[in-house]
Amino acid sequence: MSAVERALEAVLPEAEFSVWMKRVQEDIETALDHFLTPSGTVPARLHEAMRYAVLGGGKRVRPLLVFGAGSLFDAPPPLLARAAAALEMIHVYSLVHDDMPCMDDDALRRGKPTVHVQYDEATALLVGDALQAQAFWLLSEPGGLIDPARQLAMVNLLAQAAGSLGMCGGQAIDLASVGLQLSLPQLEQMHRLKTGALLRAAVLLGASCGSRLTPPQHEALERYAGAVGLAFQVVDDILDGTADSATLGKTAGKDAVDNKPTYVSILGLEQSRVLALKLRDDAHQALQPFGDGALRLRQLADLIVRRQA
């Protein structure tokens, strides 16, 4: 980075961050378009629906965290793009299945009809299945950008994050908790799995693209990921009760209608906002060992807490 670029970053950190964020979002959109099978390929309807689900929407928070963590360790952009695309495919598959009538039964996602509404339930089921398989194919494909042992460790990390002790486990707890009064620790456990597991994977995958982590580095990133993972869900709960569907791109107020336990239902709106700010501070504190190199991850923690959708 030149002296002029450093000076601009010091004066306009938010503007510079926005430029970086937009570039990463565009790069991951290009990567996803490249890694997804063309819609005309047989079976054409399935491939069209996969692209419908993945492309042209979403904040891409998980890919941003992959690239933010990768910037700490000079990770090669092509490898970051591959890891971020695989992670985003897992995330989108979870959304497609989560929206289906047998789970949350929602008709709107990312501002457009959900996959089972736009196509049909069977196609939505297969879209999720195929995206999950595509993610692991993508992350495990021999590419020469990383040694096989580290590549296998990354595949293992993503598998754990997506499985019954991660995202799927959190979704199971969520479904079983409808109409129940959960304690704050029980709610936290659910969201550390349902939401936090993939956000943790994003941070650790991005870092792993660059180099092997020392134990202190791994511990610091774990603490950061734990804080931003919970903060993301706290803010989600706040927005579900305060923003409209047009802003959110999904059905607003659905948690209350479905009688789901949330941070807002347990703590109230104001204390939920206080908790989100505390978690952001915890995330910043965790990054102190990395100094200025963790700028992107600090900015992403701020983004997660300040977001309006």
Side-chain angles (χ1 to χ4, degrees):
M1 183 182 290
S2 70
V4 172
E5 287 173 326
R6 284 195 297 272
L8 284 172
E9 183 171 312
V11 175
L12 298 170
E14 289 192 11
E16 195 274 339
F17 172 64
S18 295
V19 171
W20 173 83
M21 184 171 66
K22 186 173 185 295
R23 184 173 67 247
V24 171
Q25 289 168 331
E26 290 173 348
D27 288 348
I28 195 62
E29 189 76 10
T30 300
L32 287 165
D33 180 60
H34 172 72
F35 290 130
L36 286 166
T37 305
S39 56
T41 306
V42 176
R45 182 177 171 82
L46 174 60
H47 291 129
E48 176 190 306
M50 289 169 69
R51 298 176 73 84
Y52 174 87
V54 174
L55 298 176
K59 297 174 286 295
R60 310 299 190 198
V61 170
R62 290 150 194 83
L64 286 166
L65 285 168
V66 171
F67 276 81
S71 70
L72 269 174
F73 301 98
D74 297 320
L79 183 55
L80 289 172
R82 182 173 286 266
L87 184 62
E88 188 70 359
M89 287 179 188
I90 293 288
H91 173 55
V92 174
Y93 121 67
S94 77
L95 299 181
V96 172
H97 280 188
D98 196 47
D99 288 334
M100 291 179 67
C102 60
M103 294 186 69
D104 272 1
D105 193 13
D106 213 330
L108 187 67
R109 175 69 69 176
R110 294 179 171 176
K112 60 186 182 181
T114 48
V115 177
H116 73 274
V117 172
Q118 183 71 14
Y119 293 88
D120 53 69
E121 289 183 36
T123 298
L125 184 66
L126 291 172
V127 163
D129 292 344
L131 285 174
Q132 180 177 204
Q134 187 96 346
F136 288 109
W137 168 79
L138 186 58
L139 197 58
S140 63
E141 187 181 29
L145 293 172
I146 194 171
D147 66 89
R150 193 140 50 100
Q151 185 178 21
L152 180 60
M154 292 169 67
V155 172
N156 181 266
L157 172 63
L158 184 58
Q160 289 186 44
S164 63
L165 297 179
M167 178 192 70
C168 284
Q171 288 178 317
I173 296 171
D174 187 29
L175 290 170
S177 299
V178 173
L180 301 181
Q181 289 288 333
L182 296 187
S183 67
L184 196 59
Q186 287 173 322
L187 187 68
E188 181 176 313
Q189 179 196 29
M190 177 175 76
H191 288 307
R192 283 198 183 280
L193 300 180
K194 183 183 178 184
T195 304
L198 287 189
L199 292 171
R200 170 184 177 270
V203 174
L204 296 179
L205 282 173
S208 298
C209 286
S211 63
R212 296 184 187 279
L213 302 180
T214 66
Q217 288 172 332
H218 190 278
E219 181 185 353
L221 291 177
E222 285 272 16
R223 287 191 289 114
Y224 169 83
V228 297
L230 284 183
F232 187 95
Q233 186 59 52
V234 173
V235 174
D236 238 25
D237 288 354
I238 292 170
L239 291 173
D240 186 72
T242 59
D244 57 32
S245 298
T247 301
L248 293 178
K250 59 183 180 179
T251 305
K254 200 165 187 307
D255 288 341
V257 171
D258 292 344
N259 200 20
K260 284 191 172 186
T262 68
Y263 282 98
V264 173
S265 70
I266 292 176
L267 294 177
L269 187 59
E270 192 55 39
Q271 285 305 306
S272 295
R273 287 175 171 145
V274 169
L275 177 58
L277 291 172
K278 179 189 180 300
L279 290 166
R280 181 199 61 184
D281 292 344
D282 290 347
H284 281 225
Q285 181 72 24
L287 294 173
Q288 282 191 347
F290 299 108
D292 293 341
L295 173 65
R296 293 294 179 231
L297 289 179
R298 285 196 298 273
Q299 290 171 322
L300 286 168
D302 293 342
L303 173 74
I304 285 168
V305 171
R306 291 200 313 259
R307 66 194 175 92
Q308 299 299 309

